[in-house]
Amino acid sequence: MSNLVHRSLMTDPPIAVSGKGIWLREASGHEVIDGSGGAAVACLGHGHPHVLAAMRAQLEKLTYAHTALFSCESAEKLADMLVGHAPGGLTHAYFISSGSEGMEAAIKMARQYFVEIGQPQRKHYIARKQSYHGNTLGALSAGGNAMRRAPYAPILSPAFSHVSACYAYRDRADHESDADYVQRLADELEAEFQRLGPDNVIAFCAETVVGATLGCVAALPGYFPAMRAVCDRHGALMILDEVMSGMGRCGTMHTWEQEGIVPDIQVIAKGLGGGYQPIGGILAQGKVISAIRDGSGGFMHGHTYQAHPMACAAALAVQEVIARDGLLGNVQAMGALLEQRLTERLGNHRNIGDIRGRGLFWAIELVQDRGTKAVFDPKLKMNERVKKEAYARGLGCYPMGGTIDGLQGDHVILAPPYTVTAGEVEMIVERFGDAVEAALAG
């Protein structure tokens, strides 16, 4: 057994030794299509020459400088690229090393904003059930992933409460229209504001497209404007977590661009740096930063590796490639093809309840019976079976159990790089379809 603590302590994973484009190779020589980009991270695939060249250049110039003394060129340029044009009023960026750290920063910045403007009584956050915002204690408190929360429940913050997600496949009643369902969810959020005291709520937190916990679930039309209206009515902020779904993954640079609303604070990570270096961040509205600057004068938060020169250089290069090569257009085109081919291959399968997603961010939900939506016994670990069968066929995918409540339900995610070709999409769907059928037949 390895001396390294792996995700599973029962078996050691294979050793990845090299990666090129959409492919990864393990020590045994087995080659695998990185069909989910790890956890929707590797947006340019592996070994992209422009990114590697930028990292080498930065390595020769500056590898680290503490932000208590210095800024650095790569961080300044990355911020200029992301918010220099003030998308939706987002004017400032803050870079750290992960999505979890990003959510922590967003939580603290939102609280400090209200302290600065003279509303220190605000101390509650409302998030959603079956969501995921990170693994640090603050981020885990915000998240509604019942399975991940369970061992740590006694030490999670009571400042967070949770309302229903917009999960139409299972939660919309047969008699409800989309508009009726959205209104019910808005009423639920309003009721939670009232329970907590409307003037006591700091923010509503949500993933724009729910990632690994629920499996690529996008909100119905009108949902986010309805949630925004509740927040605005009570003077609360909206924090959108686009760690997994943002930075081009769903076909626009920011997924909120498709929703008709703008967040006050946005959390970004995975597609920001594409896995070339650990990096995450938050983008904030000018009013939030102005309140802090004009009040105490500084954000009372910080990390040793924030705005790291190497991480920012890598992320800047990733974003340059996305813009230079027009990759958002490819995400839209190949995403449409991936949806089409998944639907053709698995859309009528008796054990596939739902195929859902946006851009190059897609999931299937596995069911025992398509008509009743009955789930498989969790002991079967059906999602893991699909992962194992896919790996044997040379495809990496991202499985998850507990879709419905942290225990019941299975789904599997595909999230190939933005550079994926039509031929590679065909190969992914062929191998994935074969794996699903083998897992269900086993």
Side-chain angles (χ1 to χ4, degrees):
M1 295 293 289
S2 171
N3 292 319
L4 180 64
V5 177
H6 297 294
R7 287 177 178 251
S8 170
L9 298 179
M10 304 300 292
T11 58
D12 291 340
I15 303 295
V17 295
S18 64
K20 187 67 174 176
I22 201 170
W23 293 92
L24 288 169
R25 188 167 71 88
E26 65 164 282
S28 70
H30 184 53
E31 293 188 328
V32 178
I33 297 172
D34 192 3
S36 62
V41 174
C43 60
L44 296 186
H46 305 277
H48 196 286
H50 179 75
V51 182
L52 297 184
M55 292 173 68
R56 291 188 193 101
Q58 184 65 48
L59 185 66
E60 294 295 328
K61 291 194 300 182
L62 176 70
T63 57
Y64 176 71
H66 196 273
T67 51
L69 291 172
F70 299 101
S71 185
C72 67
E73 290 180 329
S74 59
E76 296 288 347
K77 289 179 180 179
L78 181 59
D80 288 347
M81 171 175 274
L82 295 179
V83 293
H85 59 301
L90 297 167
T91 59
H92 288 75
Y94 180 87
F95 301 121
I96 56 281
S97 298
S98 70
S100 295
E101 289 181 25
M103 195 65 197
E104 292 281 339
I107 290 166
K108 293 175 78 173
M109 182 176 282
R111 165 62 185 173
Q112 187 175 345
Y113 166 74
F114 282 111
V115 172
E116 302 281 10
I117 65 171
Q119 298 182 34
Q121 83 285 353
R122 291 188 184 260
K123 60 181 181 180
H124 293 289
Y125 301 81
I126 304 172
R128 301 192 298 182
K129 300 170 186 174
Q130 285 304 92
S131 61
Y132 181 69
H133 295 298
N135 254 337
T136 54
L137 284 176
L140 192 61
S141 297
N145 185 311
M147 177 173 56
R148 291 184 183 272
R149 287 171 58 91
Y152 308 107
I155 59 173
L156 297 181
S157 171
F160 298 85
S161 60
H162 300 85
V163 294
S164 299
C166 187
Y167 183 22
Y169 171 65
R170 287 194 178 273
D171 292 346
R172 182 183 56 193
D174 291 340
H175 67 274
E176 285 183 308
S177 66
D178 286 356
D180 290 339
Y181 178 49
V182 166
Q183 185 59 54
R184 174 158 64 86
L185 295 174
D187 291 344
E188 182 182 350
L189 181 60
E190 174 66 32
E192 186 63 7
F193 266 85
Q194 295 299 327
R195 186 184 74 83
L196 296 168
D199 295 337
N200 295 327
V201 177
I202 293 173
F204 171 63
C205 310
E207 295 165 275
T208 317
V209 174
V210 186
T213 293
L214 211 50
C216 303
V217 174
L220 291 174
Y223 171 81
F224 276 107
M227 301 301 109
R228 177 89 250 189
V230 175
C231 292
D232 290 347
R233 182 158 59 246
H234 301 300
L237 301 182
M238 176 177 277
I239 299 172
L240 289 185
D241 179 344
E242 296 200 356
V243 166
M244 205 170 199
S245 66
M247 299 309 299
R249 174 57 62 186
C250 290
T252 51
M253 185 54 66
H254 308 298
T255 305
W256 53 257
E257 296 176 66
Q258 303 172 40
E259 299 295 346
I261 53 94
V262 179
D264 297 292
I265 300 174
Q266 175 185 353
V267 188
I268 57 177
K270 299 176 187 294
L272 174 61
Y276 286 88
Q277 287 280 276
I279 189 169
I282 59 174
L283 309 179
Q285 289 278 339
K287 71 173 187 179
V288 175
I289 301 301
S290 294
I292 296 173
R293 183 186 60 231
D294 298 341
S296 63
F299 182 27
M300 295 180 66
H301 183 63
H303 288 278
T304 300
Y305 298 119
Q306 73 183 63
H308 192 277
M310 287 294 296
C312 290
L316 177 62
V318 168
Q319 297 310 308
E320 287 171 345
V321 172
I322 292 172
R324 181 195 72 192
D325 296 350
L327 291 182
L328 295 183
N330 195 59
V331 171
Q332 295 166 15
M334 293 301 100
L337 178 61
L338 180 58
E339 177 186 14
Q340 175 190 332
R341 292 294 294 113
L342 284 171
T343 302
E344 290 171 352
R345 180 65 188 268
L346 297 169
N348 292 320
H349 197 289
R350 67 182 182 276
N351 298 123
I352 305 299
D354 196 23
I355 299 174
R356 54 184 180 244
R358 279 189 191 171
L360 285 172
F361 195 41
W362 286 86
I364 62 164
E365 183 167 338
L366 300 157
V367 293
Q368 190 173 32
D369 183 272
R370 182 186 176 92
T372 64
K373 302 181 185 178
V375 300
F376 286 101
D377 184 337
K379 294 178 182 177
L380 295 175
K381 298 186 181 298
M382 194 58 70
N383 63 91
E384 287 286 342
R385 289 190 185 185
V386 174
K387 172 190 171 182
K388 181 178 178 180
E389 294 288 352
Y391 190 81
R393 290 163 173 77
L395 174 68
C397 56
Y398 194 93
M400 184 64 70
T403 311
I404 300 168
D405 57 6
L407 177 65
Q408 303 284 330
D410 299 271
H411 65 263
V412 185
I413 292 174
L414 292 173
Y418 306 171
T419 54
V420 70
T421 65
E424 289 168 340
V425 168
E426 296 289 347
M427 197 182 310
I428 288 169
V429 174
E430 178 183 358
R431 295 184 184 195
F432 187 65
D434 289 348
V436 169
E437 290 167 357
L440 293 168

